Amino acid sequence: EEAIDRFREMTKMDPAGFGPWARSYAALSYALMNRNDEAVAECEAALGASPDNPLVMAACGGLFGRTGHRPKAQALLDRLKTTPSPRPVDPYKIAFVCDGLGDSDGAIEWLDRAVSERWPTSAYLGIEHWSDRLKSDPRFKVLVRRMNYPGKAP
């Protein structure tokens, strides 16, 4: 609840800049508390304010997939894969949406690419809120080991 309050403060301070990012992370926080209607509403607002932001698209795409809004998730995934931008879209973000849609093969493929290409977001692999299905996949465990985190792999 405290995290959501902080994200709301960020949204008020900078509605057009950090606001959409903060709303998408508030949505993920709501989802972790099983408050899916509020999560979806936050994502809708974030996407309304920043429809082409890859971070917002990925966070909301993953959330939509997890909450049963598969067509919305798939549409965001398709856009992430095909939308031209000045920089390529982070494969880690695409993996997050694949996981939300229940596509472990796609998620592993994109995570492998993120790790192989040394995208900075790969550092979060061992702590991100991936689905239990994906975390139990032996290929996921191999990727975590490749990251060479201190301690044991999940």
Side-chain angles (χ1 to χ4, degrees):
E1 199 68 45
E2 185 178 336
I4 292 169
D5 291 339
R6 298 292 172 254
F7 290 133
R8 282 192 189 124
E9 289 173 17
M10 290 175 71
T11 300
K12 287 178 187 173
M13 288 188 307
D14 189 8
F18 282 115
W21 171 87
R23 291 193 93 134
S24 66
Y25 275 88
L28 294 172
S29 298
Y30 278 127
L32 288 171
M33 297 185 298
N34 293 316
R35 293 167 58 182
N36 292 337
D37 291 341
E38 291 161 291
V40 169
E42 286 292 341
C43 269
E44 295 287 358
L47 287 164
S50 189
D52 297 321
N53 180 316
L55 188 144
V56 172
M57 292 168 62
C60 293
L63 182 133
F64 286 151
R66 286 172 177 76
T67 58
H69 296 84
R70 293 183 62 78
K72 289 180 182 180
Q74 187 63 55
L76 288 170
L77 177 62
D78 293 344
R79 286 184 54 214
L80 283 167
K81 288 181 176 180
T82 61
T83 301
S85 65
R87 296 179 298 184
V89 174
D90 181 347
Y92 189 92
K93 290 177 175 63
I94 295 173
F96 192 76
V97 182
C98 289
D99 185 39
L101 284 165
D103 177 10
S104 293
D105 291 337
I108 293 292
E109 175 185 332
W110 287 98
L111 286 172
D112 182 66
R113 184 172 165 188
V115 170
S116 296
E117 294 176 6
R118 299 180 185 263
W119 282 80
T121 48
S122 299
Y124 300 109
L125 183 64
I127 59 171
E128 190 78 63
H129 292 283
W130 300 102
S131 68
D132 290 338
R133 171 191 22 69
L134 187 64
K135 287 191 294 189
S136 66
D137 188 309
R139 299 171 298 169
F140 182 85
K141 293 176 181 182
V142 167
L143 285 171
V144 171
R145 279 194 297 277
R146 278 178 51 200
M147 291 300 298
N148 200 25
Y149 294 118
K152 294 183 179 181

